[in-house]
Amino acid sequence: MALQNRVNPKGELHAVSSRGLFMGNKGRLHNQNKEIIRKQATNGWVICALSHKGIKRELMSESYTELFFLDEATALSAGHRPCSDCLRDKFTDFKKRWVDVNNNENTNITTMAEINKFNQKERYNRGEKVTFKENAQNLPSGTFIEIEQNFYLIWQGLKYLWSFDGYKGKSVIKSEEVTVLTPRSFVNVLASGYIPEVHNSIEAVPI
């Protein structure tokens, strides 16, 4: 039976068999029966490689709840950022861009602890996913949006319908106001040129 640890672009956890390209965590979310009992346990939400240094773990053991994402873009949408250990190069690139594009005359955020604290306000408000509105044509590649309860990845001038198994369809991006799922500061990072890894199913999606 599948564990409830597959994450959609809205950050919701589901029990499905599809694993995806990346894992990650936001602390221990489960009880001794491997049931999800909380939405988060830390503000350091990370994206990790599926394998690293040959380490093998029992899923949902004592320390944290292993979460799985279709791809990096999905994980970013859910509010996670690259791990400083197993995704060191991505972490370094992401952090530098975040600092460069999200500070202004009123803020001077430089450490990952400060970034995590800032990002927490972009993730949840009273237990609900934080979103914002924007014209779809103004959003950079790698951003996730929601239209009529469907999730779409904006990628190279088109939008792709998301599923746990991969991308299922693509269509042109219209000039319309949409609900943006990817945190605003992460959208700024994507707009600066950060390129997340996306699932290879996107290459074979029919229009």
Coordinates of all heavy atoms in Angstrom, one line a residue, residues 145-190:
I145 N 0.8 27.1 -12.1 CA -0.5 27.8 -11.9 C -1.6 26.8 -11.7 O -1.5 25.6 -12.0 CB -0.7 28.7 -13.1 CG1 -0.9 27.9 -14.4 CG2 0.4 29.8 -13.2 CD1 -1.2 28.7 -15.6
E146 N -2.7 27.3 -11.2 CA -3.9 26.5 -11.1 C -5.1 27.1 -11.8 O -5.3 28.3 -11.7 CB -4.3 26.3 -9.6 CG -5.5 25.4 -9.4 CD -5.8 25.2 -7.9 OE1 -5.2 25.9 -7.0 OE2 -6.6 24.2 -7.6
I147 N -5.7 26.3 -12.7 CA -6.9 26.8 -13.4 C -7.9 25.7 -13.3 O -7.7 24.5 -13.7 CB -6.5 27.0 -14.9 CG1 -5.4 28.0 -15.1 CG2 -7.8 27.4 -15.7 CD1 -4.9 28.2 -16.5
E148 N -9.1 26.1 -12.8 CA -10.2 25.2 -12.6 C -9.8 23.8 -11.9 O -10.1 22.8 -12.4 CB -10.9 24.9 -13.9 CG -11.5 26.2 -14.5 CD -12.2 26.0 -15.9 OE1 -12.0 24.9 -16.5 OE2 -12.9 26.9 -16.3
Q149 N -9.0 23.9 -10.9 CA -8.6 22.8 -10.1 C -7.6 21.9 -10.8 O -7.3 20.8 -10.3 CB -9.8 22.0 -9.5 CG -10.7 22.8 -8.6 CD -11.8 22.0 -8.0 OE1 -12.4 21.3 -8.7 NE2 -12.0 22.2 -6.7
N150 N -7.1 22.3 -11.9 CA -6.0 21.6 -12.6 C -4.7 22.4 -12.4 O -4.7 23.6 -12.4 CB -6.3 21.4 -14.1 CG -7.4 20.4 -14.3 OD1 -7.4 19.3 -13.8 ND2 -8.4 20.8 -15.2
F151 N -3.6 21.6 -12.4 CA -2.3 22.2 -12.2 C -1.5 22.3 -13.5 O -1.5 21.2 -14.2 CB -1.4 21.5 -11.2 CG -2.1 21.3 -9.8 CD1 -2.2 20.0 -9.3 CD2 -2.7 22.3 -9.2 CE1 -2.8 19.8 -8.1 CE2 -3.4 22.1 -8.0 CZ -3.4 20.9 -7.4
Y152 N -0.9 23.4 -13.9 CA -0.2 23.5 -15.1 C 1.2 24.1 -14.8 O 1.4 25.0 -14.0 CB -0.9 24.5 -16.1 CG -2.2 24.0 -16.5 CD1 -3.4 24.3 -15.8 CD2 -2.4 23.2 -17.7 CE1 -4.6 23.8 -16.3 CE2 -3.6 22.8 -18.2 CZ -4.7 23.1 -17.4 OH -6.0 22.6 -17.9
L153 N 2.2 23.6 -15.5 CA 3.5 24.1 -15.5 C 3.7 25.0 -16.7 O 3.5 24.6 -17.8 CB 4.6 23.0 -15.6 CG 6.0 23.4 -15.7 CD1 6.5 24.1 -14.5 CD2 6.9 22.2 -16.1
I154 N 4.2 26.2 -16.5 CA 4.5 27.1 -17.6 C 6.0 26.8 -17.9 O 6.9 26.8 -17.1 CB 4.4 28.6 -17.1 CG1 2.9 28.9 -16.9 CG2 5.1 29.5 -18.1 CD1 2.7 30.3 -16.5
W155 N 6.2 26.5 -19.2 CA 7.5 26.0 -19.7 C 7.7 26.4 -21.1 O 7.0 25.9 -22.0 CB 7.6 24.5 -19.5 CG 9.0 24.0 -19.7 CD1 9.4 23.2 -20.7 CD2 10.1 24.1 -18.8 NE1 10.8 22.9 -20.6 CE2 11.2 23.4 -19.4 CE3 10.3 24.8 -17.6 CZ2 12.5 23.4 -18.8 CZ3 11.5 24.7 -17.0 CH2 12.6 24.1 -17.6
Q156 N 8.7 27.2 -21.4 CA 9.1 27.6 -22.7 C 7.9 28.0 -23.6 O 7.8 27.6 -24.7 CB 9.9 26.4 -23.3 CG 11.2 26.1 -22.6 CD 11.9 24.9 -23.2 OE1 11.5 24.3 -24.1 NE2 13.1 24.7 -22.6
G157 N 7.1 28.9 -23.1 CA 6.0 29.5 -23.8 C 4.7 28.8 -23.9 O 3.8 29.2 -24.6
L158 N 4.7 27.6 -23.3 CA 3.4 26.8 -23.3 C 3.1 26.4 -21.8 O 3.9 26.6 -20.9 CB 3.6 25.5 -24.1 CG 3.8 25.7 -25.6 CD1 4.2 24.4 -26.2 CD2 2.6 26.3 -26.3
K159 N 1.9 25.9 -21.6 CA 1.6 25.4 -20.3 C 1.2 23.9 -20.4 O 0.6 23.5 -21.4 CB 0.4 26.2 -19.6 CG -1.0 26.1 -20.3 CD -2.0 26.9 -19.4 CE -3.4 26.6 -19.9 NZ -3.8 27.2 -21.1
Y160 N 1.7 23.1 -19.4 CA 1.6 21.7 -19.5 C 0.8 21.2 -18.3 O 1.0 21.6 -17.2 CB 3.0 21.1 -19.4 CG 3.8 21.3 -20.6 CD1 4.5 22.5 -20.8 CD2 4.0 20.3 -21.6 CE1 5.2 22.8 -22.0 CE2 4.7 20.6 -22.8 CZ 5.4 21.8 -22.9 OH 6.1 22.0 -24.1
L161 N -0.2 20.3 -18.6 CA -1.1 19.7 -17.6 C -0.3 18.7 -16.8 O 0.3 17.8 -17.3 CB -2.3 19.1 -18.2 CG -3.3 18.4 -17.3 CD1 -3.9 19.4 -16.4 CD2 -4.3 17.7 -18.1
W162 N -0.3 18.9 -15.4 CA 0.5 18.1 -14.5 C -0.3 16.9 -14.0 O -1.5 17.0 -13.9 CB 0.9 18.9 -13.3 CG 1.7 18.2 -12.3 CD1 3.1 18.2 -12.1 CD2 1.2 17.4 -11.1 NE1 3.4 17.4 -11.0 CE2 2.3 17.0 -10.4 CE3 -0.1 17.1 -10.7 CZ2 2.2 16.2 -9.3 CZ3 -0.2 16.3 -9.6 CH2 0.9 15.9 -8.9
S163 N 0.4 15.7 -13.8 CA -0.2 14.6 -13.1 C 0.9 14.0 -12.3 O 2.1 14.2 -12.5 CB -0.8 13.6 -14.1 OG 0.2 12.8 -14.7
F164 N 0.6 13.1 -11.4 CA 1.6 12.4 -10.6 C 2.5 11.5 -11.5 O 3.7 11.3 -11.1 CB 1.0 11.5 -9.5 CG 0.6 12.2 -8.3 CD1 -0.8 12.5 -8.1 CD2 1.5 12.7 -7.4 CE1 -1.2 13.2 -6.9 CE2 1.1 13.4 -6.3 CZ -0.2 13.7 -6.0
D165 N 2.0 11.1 -12.6 CA 2.8 10.2 -13.5 C 3.6 11.0 -14.6 O 4.4 10.4 -15.3 CB 1.9 9.2 -14.2 CG 1.2 8.3 -13.3 OD1 1.9 7.8 -12.4 OD2 0.0 8.0 -13.4
G166 N 3.3 12.3 -14.7 CA 4.0 13.1 -15.7 C 3.1 14.1 -16.4 O 1.9 14.2 -15.9
Y167 N 3.5 14.8 -17.4 CA 2.7 15.8 -18.0 C 1.9 15.2 -19.1 O 2.4 14.3 -19.9 CB 3.6 16.9 -18.6 CG 4.4 17.6 -17.5 CD1 5.7 17.3 -17.1 CD2 3.7 18.6 -16.7 CE1 6.3 17.9 -16.0 CE2 4.3 19.2 -15.7 CZ 5.6 18.8 -15.3 OH 6.2 19.4 -14.2
K168 N 0.6 15.6 -19.2 CA -0.4 14.9 -20.0 C -0.9 15.7 -21.3 O -1.4 15.1 -22.2 CB -1.6 14.5 -19.2 CG -1.3 13.6 -18.0 CD -0.8 12.3 -18.4 CE -0.6 11.4 -17.2 NZ -0.1 10.0 -17.6
G169 N -0.7 16.9 -21.3 CA -1.1 17.8 -22.4 C -0.5 19.1 -22.3 O 0.0 19.6 -21.3
K170 N -0.5 19.8 -23.4 CA 0.0 21.2 -23.5 C -0.9 22.1 -24.3 O -1.6 21.6 -25.1 CB 1.4 21.2 -24.0 CG 1.6 20.7 -25.5 CD 3.0 20.7 -25.9 CE 3.2 20.1 -27.3 NZ 4.6 20.0 -27.7
S171 N -0.8 23.4 -24.0 CA -1.7 24.4 -24.7 C -1.0 25.7 -24.6 O 0.0 25.9 -23.8 CB -3.1 24.4 -24.0 OG -3.0 24.7 -22.6
V172 N -1.5 26.6 -25.4 CA -0.9 28.0 -25.5 C -1.3 28.7 -24.2 O -2.3 28.4 -23.5 CB -1.4 28.8 -26.7 CG1 -0.9 28.1 -28.0 CG2 -2.9 28.9 -26.6
I173 N -0.4 29.7 -23.8 CA -0.7 30.5 -22.6 C -1.5 31.7 -23.0 O -1.0 32.5 -23.9 CB 0.6 30.9 -22.0 CG1 1.4 29.7 -21.5 CG2 0.4 31.8 -20.7 CD1 2.8 30.0 -21.1
K174 N -2.7 31.8 -22.5 CA -3.5 33.0 -22.8 C -3.2 34.1 -21.9 O -2.7 34.0 -20.8 CB -5.0 32.6 -22.6 CG -5.5 31.4 -23.5 CD -6.9 31.1 -23.2 CE -7.4 29.9 -24.1 NZ -8.8 29.5 -23.8
S175 N -3.6 35.3 -22.4 CA -3.5 36.5 -21.5 C -4.7 36.5 -20.6 O -5.8 37.0 -20.9 CB -3.5 37.8 -22.4 OG -3.4 38.9 -21.6
E176 N -4.5 35.9 -19.4 CA -5.6 35.8 -18.4 C -5.0 35.8 -17.0 O -3.8 35.3 -16.8 CB -6.4 34.5 -18.6 CG -5.6 33.2 -18.5 CD -6.4 32.0 -18.7 OE1 -7.6 32.0 -18.5 OE2 -5.8 31.0 -19.1
E177 N -5.7 36.3 -16.1 CA -5.3 36.2 -14.7 C -5.5 34.8 -14.1 O -6.5 34.2 -14.3 CB -6.1 37.2 -13.8 CG -5.6 37.3 -12.4 CD -6.4 38.3 -11.6 OE1 -7.6 38.0 -11.3 OE2 -5.8 39.4 -11.3
V178 N -4.4 34.3 -13.5 CA -4.4 32.9 -13.0 C -4.0 32.9 -11.6 O -3.4 33.9 -11.1 CB -3.5 32.0 -13.8 CG1 -4.1 31.9 -15.3 CG2 -2.1 32.5 -13.9
T179 N -4.2 31.8 -10.9 CA -3.7 31.6 -9.5 C -2.3 31.0 -9.6 O -2.2 29.9 -10.2 CB -4.7 30.6 -8.8 OG1 -6.0 31.2 -8.6 CG2 -4.1 30.3 -7.4
V180 N -1.4 31.6 -9.0 CA 0.0 31.2 -9.0 C 0.3 30.4 -7.8 O 0.1 30.9 -6.7 CB 1.0 32.4 -9.2 CG1 2.4 31.8 -9.2 CG2 0.7 33.2 -10.4
L181 N 0.8 29.2 -7.9 CA 1.1 28.3 -6.8 C 2.5 28.4 -6.3 O 2.8 28.3 -5.1 CB 0.8 26.8 -7.2 CG -0.6 26.5 -7.6 CD1 -0.7 25.0 -8.0 CD2 -1.6 26.8 -6.4
T182 N 3.5 28.6 -7.2 CA 4.9 28.8 -6.9 C 5.1 30.0 -6.0 O 4.6 31.1 -6.4 CB 5.8 28.9 -8.1 OG1 5.5 27.8 -9.0 CG2 7.2 28.9 -7.7
P183 N 5.7 29.9 -4.9 CA 5.9 31.1 -4.0 C 6.5 32.3 -4.8 O 7.3 32.1 -5.7 CB 6.9 30.6 -2.9 CG 6.6 29.2 -2.8 CD 6.3 28.7 -4.2
R184 N 6.0 33.5 -4.5 CA 6.4 34.7 -5.2 C 7.9 34.9 -5.3 O 8.5 35.2 -6.4 CB 5.8 35.9 -4.6 CG 5.9 37.2 -5.5 CD 5.4 38.4 -4.8 NE 3.9 38.3 -4.6 CZ 3.0 38.7 -5.5 NH1 3.4 39.2 -6.6 NH2 1.7 38.6 -5.2
S185 N 8.6 34.7 -4.2 CA 10.1 34.9 -4.2 C 10.8 33.8 -5.1 O 11.8 34.1 -5.7 CB 10.7 34.8 -2.8 OG 10.6 33.5 -2.2
F186 N 10.2 32.6 -5.2 CA 10.7 31.6 -6.1 C 10.5 31.9 -7.5 O 11.3 31.6 -8.4 CB 10.1 30.2 -5.7 CG 10.5 29.6 -4.4 CD1 11.2 30.3 -3.5 CD2 10.2 28.3 -4.2 CE1 11.6 29.7 -2.3 CE2 10.6 27.6 -3.0 CZ 11.3 28.4 -2.1
V187 N 9.3 32.5 -7.8 CA 9.0 33.0 -9.2 C 10.1 34.0 -9.6 O 10.5 34.0 -10.7 CB 7.6 33.6 -9.2 CG1 7.4 34.3 -10.6 CG2 6.5 32.5 -9.0
N188 N 10.5 34.9 -8.6 CA 11.5 35.9 -8.9 C 12.8 35.2 -9.3 O 13.6 35.6 -10.2 CB 11.7 36.8 -7.7 CG 10.5 37.7 -7.5 OD1 9.7 37.9 -8.3 ND2 10.4 38.2 -6.3
V189 N 13.1 34.1 -8.6 CA 14.3 33.3 -8.9 C 14.3 32.7 -10.3 O 15.2 32.8 -11.0 CB 14.6 32.3 -7.8 CG1 15.7 31.3 -8.2 CG2 14.8 32.9 -6.4
L190 N 13.1 32.2 -10.6 CA 12.9 31.6 -11.9 C 13.1 32.7 -13.0 O 13.7 32.4 -14.1 CB 11.6 30.9 -12.0 CG 11.4 29.7 -11.1 CD1 9.9 29.3 -11.1 CD2 12.2 28.5 -11.6

